[in-house]
Amino acid sequence: MKISYKKFVILLFLVIAFSCGEKEDKQETGNISGEFQWTENISIDQIPEKPLTAMMNGKKLKISYINFEQWRGSGDNVINFSSNTPKQNCGYVENDDAFHIMHIAGEFEEGDFIKSNFDTNIDGIVADYHYYDKNNNIKKVSVPWNCAMVITELGDKIVKGKIALCFKDKAKSWIAGTFEAIRCNN
């Protein structure tokens, strides 16, 4: 069976066209859910444009209260993402599980903040989380972390932005998404 040169070129073209289309489809469907995934290296474009979701110790954590604390004496800025709500805004949150990112003696400003991987160190900025164990004892976890954060509005009463923060713990804890925090001057 002889195939003419024209038929061979057309057949080759069709094979290439169909195989490229399959590869493109597979790439597009790789992350259909759009859910954030824990990662060792983070960038601003990985922050999801949807409300915060979180995983702590391998379990989903619902964030109920977010505040942005500005401490007058020390000058620290702290953003707290808590599972519980205080009795009054800017009050003490009891028995919560929470993520924290703090700029010691410094301010978070509008714009981008990036600590792209676990090995990078940024003087004066720390992140950690705490939870209560089954015996109701608080456990603070301070392990290597990475973070991509954008503060879009730094108002007198509200701070808005988005964040993706991952911890290098066994359970691969993280928090990611958009947020609106109550501003608290302490």
Side-chain angles (χ1 to χ4, degrees):
M1 170 181 213
K2 275 190 165 178
I3 298 177
S4 71
Y5 180 73
K6 287 181 185 178
K7 288 180 182 178
F8 177 75
V9 170
I10 291 171
L11 182 62
L12 183 62
F13 174 78
L14 290 172
V15 168
I16 291 171
F18 283 118
S19 66
C20 289
E22 286 179 26
K23 287 180 185 175
E24 288 177 40
D25 288 343
K26 288 178 184 174
Q27 289 174 347
E28 287 176 19
T29 60
N31 190 10
I32 291 175
S33 67
E35 293 296 318
F36 179 78
Q37 302 262 331
W38 181 94
T39 181
E40 291 187 16
N41 297 294
I42 196 81
S43 63
I44 298 292
D45 63 345
Q46 290 173 289
I47 305 171
E49 291 287 342
K50 58 186 195 176
L52 281 175
T53 55
M55 293 290 288
M56 183 183 285
N57 293 322
K59 299 176 187 166
K60 283 193 172 201
L61 180 68
K62 183 177 190 275
I63 302 300
S64 299
Y65 177 73
I66 307 163
N67 74 0
F68 179 97
E69 296 177 319
Q70 186 168 7
W71 290 89
R72 291 183 209 134
S74 63
D76 298 345
N77 278 187
V78 186
I79 306 174
N80 300 295
F81 302 91
S82 176
S83 63
N84 295 345
T85 305
K87 292 179 182 170
Q88 63 184 23
N89 282 340
C90 299
Y92 179 73
V93 181
E94 295 182 33
N95 300 322
D96 69 336
D97 297 333
F99 293 97
H100 316 277
I101 184 164
M102 177 169 55
H103 192 192
I104 301 167
E107 296 181 16
F108 285 117
E109 298 176 352
E110 282 187 19
D112 298 354
F113 167 79
I114 186 87
K115 181 181 178 293
S116 61
N117 61 59
F118 299 130
D119 297 329
T120 303
N121 287 317
I122 298 179
D123 288 338
I125 300 182
V126 295
D128 57 39
Y129 67 89
H130 73 261
Y131 65 94
Y132 284 82
D133 67 12
K134 61 185 174 192
N135 298 322
N136 209 26
N137 296 315
I138 192 168
K139 301 290 183 186
K140 184 177 178 184
V141 180
S142 297
V143 295
W145 54 278
N146 63 32
C147 181
M149 180 170 64
V150 178
I151 295 180
T152 56
E153 182 181 328
L154 199 55
D156 292 335
K157 295 183 179 188
I158 297 289
V159 174
K160 293 181 181 180
K162 60 184 184 172
I163 190 169
L165 174 62
C166 298
F167 292 89
K168 192 176 181 181
D169 59 356
K170 288 181 184 178
K172 297 182 177 180
S173 300
W174 57 265
I175 185 167
T178 60
F179 67 87
E180 184 173 304
I182 297 166
R183 189 163 190 159
C184 302
N185 293 307
N186 297 322

